[in-house]
Amino acid sequence: MELFDGLKNNIGGKNVRIVFPEPTDIRVLGAAVRLKSDNLVEPILIGNIDKIKEVAGTRGLSIDNLEIIDPENYAGFDNMVAAFIERRKGKATEDQARTILKDENYFGTMLVFMDLADGLVSGAVHSTGDTIRPALQIIKTKPGVSRTSGAFLMVGNRDSEKYIFSDCAININPDAQALAEIAVESAKTAEIFGIDPKVALLSFSTKGSAKSEEVTKVAEATKIAQELAPELAIDGELQFDASYVPSVAQQKAPDSKVAGSANVFVFPEIQSGNIGYKIAQRLGGFQAIGPILQGLNRPISDLSRGCNEEDVYKLSIITASQALQEK
């Protein structure tokens, strides 16, 4: 895909350090080996070196040039414990911290927090909660962002067919403030993929054509988002056809700078977002890449437990791209 060729060119040779807390999963280890071989990222594998070597042997993979850190004998563990206690502001004792940081996800997230790594990719084995919880406790959300969200990159048959759908993964029913923040963060995600963001906040109403609490929420979110990022093209509330089809936009929202040309679609709640991206994927033939976590201070990515090696490889490239965007 031309899209990923561009991302590879951007991150290649930049020594972006990505943590993999699940290297005893062959999908993860295979992807890490490829990423190192392709000179795209510097993988940091978390775990017992003998167990990782055993897994590598099943596929004949060479891991001699990969960095492996075992939490059980990490020289900087005491410093990490102290940093964790400080970050948690009294919510963990030293004994608790030492136990918690033996968990690969917590350990790996602390490496990112301490600037010893640039991002983390997990979730092939662990649940979404196990991946995101350490990030929310340690990395935390950006200033002005109250919560993280999950976007999907939707890629069609032509490279020009690429869109962002969000939030389709995290927030069940965000309020107007959260929805506005999601819109702004989704625009930033779009820019990673070379998309000039035109953000539509979706509804079953266009510019007051229907009245309900649901419509009011989207209209309020639009105003907040426009105030948060006046430099961005953001509009709502818009029905999907008004946001996407120029002829419908001319009829329903003729004064909008987004209607008819939107490429970032913000759904009002997770139910419609989840349904929407899966319709595009299954009926429209779009490839759904994600979820891409948005709003965190540093990039932490959550794989699906049903992922394959290629999914790990691509999400790692996206994570490295996010890290470079934030530097």
Side-chain angles (χ1 to χ4, degrees), residues 169-216:
I170 305 293
N171 298 286
I172 294 175
N173 188 21
D175 60 18
Q177 177 67 36
L179 198 61
E181 294 169 6
I182 290 167
V184 174
E185 290 302 309
S186 298
K188 296 175 184 177
T189 298
E191 291 171 348
I192 293 174
F193 304 104
I195 300 171
D196 181 17
K198 296 184 183 297
V199 184
L201 283 89
L202 299 178
S203 175
F204 64 91
S205 168
T206 297
K207 300 297 182 179
S209 63
K211 305 292 183 184
S212 76
E213 292 181 2
E214 291 81 1
V215 172
T216 299

Side-chain angles (χ1 to χ4, degrees), residues 11-156:
I11 68 173
K14 300 290 178 58
N15 298 315
V16 182
R17 293 165 60 80
I18 300 298
V19 179
F20 296 91
E22 303 166 323
T24 54
D25 185 291
I26 192 60
R27 299 167 295 176
V28 175
L29 188 58
V33 169
R34 286 175 57 196
L35 289 160
K36 175 67 174 181
S37 175
D38 294 344
N39 195 30
L40 296 176
V41 306
E42 292 295 326
I44 303 173
L45 311 183
I46 308 302
N48 178 276
I49 187 170
D50 292 331
K51 291 181 180 178
I52 297 170
K53 284 182 175 179
E54 182 179 347
V55 173
T58 64
R59 276 261 308 269
L61 298 175
S62 174
I63 60 171
D64 292 340
N65 60 346
L66 298 184
E67 182 176 359
I68 301 174
I69 301 177
D70 186 347
E72 295 291 341
N73 53 32
Y74 177 53
F77 194 72
D78 288 343
N79 289 337
M80 181 180 285
V81 168
F84 180 79
I85 293 171
E86 170 63 24
R87 186 60 167 169
R88 295 297 289 141
K89 298 187 183 301
K91 294 181 180 178
T93 65
E94 181 176 339
D95 286 345
Q96 289 171 333
R98 289 184 177 279
T99 299
I100 290 169
L101 290 174
K102 294 297 176 68
D103 177 275
E104 296 89 346
N105 276 323
Y106 274 95
F107 184 92
T109 302
M110 280 299 297
L111 290 178
V112 177
F113 173 70
M114 297 173 71
D115 289 327
L116 299 173
D118 299 300
L120 176 146
V121 175
S122 187
V125 177
H126 295 88
S127 68
T128 293
D130 288 341
T131 299
I132 295 178
R133 191 177 304 108
L136 293 177
Q137 292 178 359
I138 299 167
I139 302 296
K140 302 186 179 181
T141 55
K142 298 175 183 177
V145 178
S146 61
R147 63 187 70 191
T148 188
S149 56
F152 279 85
L153 172 65
M154 308 298 295
V155 182

